[in-house]
Amino acid sequence: MRDLCMLDYHTIHNGMLAAFAERWHPETSSFHLPHGEITIILDDVACLLHLPIRGTLFHHDRITKEEAQEMLIAELGADPNDALEEVQRIRGAHVRFSFLQRQYVAQLIAAHREQALRCYFLYLIGAQLFVDTSSSYIDIVYLTYLSDITHIHEYNWGATTLLVRGEVPTYTEVMSRASAFTPLRGNQVSDPYRSSLDRMAAEDIKYY
C-alpha cells in the first residue's frame, strides 16, 4: 500500500488517455497501435502499481445493506445511526469517499489506529484501483480484505485490478474526476492531521 499512496492521476495527460481509450479493443483486451497490438498483463500492474500479483484470489458475494451497516460499525468504528444513514442514502452496500474522510478524521482523533487505516485503505482502493462511473464511492464488501491489516499483502490485488481496469473507456472517463477528490492525500483539502498520517505511514504502511 505504500507505493499506492504515492499515485497521483493529476500528472496524467488527458489527451494521451483519450488516445489510448480510442485504440482499446475490449474483445481482444488490447490496444491497437500503429506498430501493433499491446496487451496489459500482470507484470505491467506489478511494475506500475507495485501490487502483489501472487496470493489469495478475491472471493466474495454481494452483501446486503444490513450487512454493510454492520461492517461499517465493526471495521470502521462508525456510529450505528451514521452507518444506517449512509447505506440508506447511497441505496446499497456502498460508502462515499466523504463518509470515509469524516470517519478517518474521527478515528485518528480517537487514536484508533487500525480503524483509521482501514478508512484510508478503503479510500485508496476506491479512488485508485477500482474506480467506477460514480467516482465518489466504493463497495463496502472490500472491507472483507481489510479486517486484519497485517494480511493485506497476502491477497492478489494485481489480478483483480487488471480485471477491473479492463473496462478502459469507462475507466478513463472517470479517472480525472476520481483524482479531483483526494482528502487523505491533502491535494485539494488542507488536512491538519496529515503529519499524523505521515507518521502512521512511516511506521505501518511500509509493511503492507
Side-chain angles (χ1 to χ4, degrees):
M1 288 289 183
R2 177 183 56 183
D3 295 297
L4 189 60
C5 295
M6 303 308 297
L7 287 180
D8 189 347
Y9 292 138
H10 288 286
T11 62
I12 291 187
H13 192 281
N14 289 333
M16 181 182 69
L17 280 177
F20 271 101
E22 290 173 358
R23 291 162 176 77
W24 176 253
H25 287 237
E27 65 277 4
T28 58
S29 295
S30 62
F31 295 100
H32 288 204
L33 301 175
H35 58 276
E37 295 184 16
I38 296 179
T39 300
I40 302 174
I41 60 176
L42 281 176
D43 283 342
D44 297 324
V45 176
C47 179
L48 297 174
L49 301 179
H50 304 281
L51 294 173
I53 58 176
R54 295 182 177 84
T56 305
L57 295 174
F58 282 25
H59 179 71
H60 58 259
D61 298 317
R62 292 192 178 191
I63 60 176
T64 64
K65 289 193 295 184
E66 291 73 20
E67 291 172 325
Q69 179 188 2
E70 292 176 0
M71 293 184 74
L72 288 177
I73 297 170
E75 304 295 346
L76 303 185
D79 178 88
N81 292 329
D82 292 342
L84 176 60
E85 181 181 355
E86 181 66 14
V87 296
Q88 288 179 338
R89 177 189 293 269
I90 207 69
R91 297 180 181 179
H94 317 295
V95 61
R96 293 170 299 162
F97 293 159
S98 56
F99 181 92
L100 291 176
Q101 180 192 19
R102 293 194 303 272
Q103 195 61 28
Y104 159 77
V105 171
Q107 297 306 325
L108 202 59
I109 293 174
H112 295 157
R113 175 183 297 240
E114 291 196 3
Q115 291 174 335
L117 280 173
R118 288 191 195 105
C119 292
Y120 185 40
F121 289 161
L122 190 60
Y123 166 78
L124 282 178
I125 292 170
Q128 307 284 42
L129 296 184
F130 306 148
V131 183
D132 63 17
T133 54
S134 74
S135 70
S136 62
Y137 64 76
I138 177 66
D139 289 346
I140 297 175
V141 71
Y142 290 114
L143 276 174
T144 304
Y145 308 101
L146 305 178
S147 182
D148 187 344
I149 58 178
T150 63
H151 292 289
I152 293 177
H153 64 284
E154 296 177 3
Y155 292 104
N156 193 330
W157 294 94
T160 306
T161 301
L162 180 60
L163 291 175
V164 172
R165 289 194 174 189
E167 299 293 334
V168 171
T170 299
Y171 178 68
T172 53
E173 288 171 7
V174 302
M175 181 184 291
S176 58
R177 285 190 288 128
S179 64
F181 177 62
T182 51
L184 304 182
R185 285 286 309 280
N187 289 351
Q188 300 292 330
V189 179
S190 177
D191 185 356
Y193 306 101
R194 181 64 186 277
S195 59
S196 297
L197 176 60
D198 289 340
R199 289 196 298 272
M200 291 167 61
E203 297 172 3
D204 293 321
I205 294 178
K206 63 182 179 181
Y207 297 111
Y208 308 136

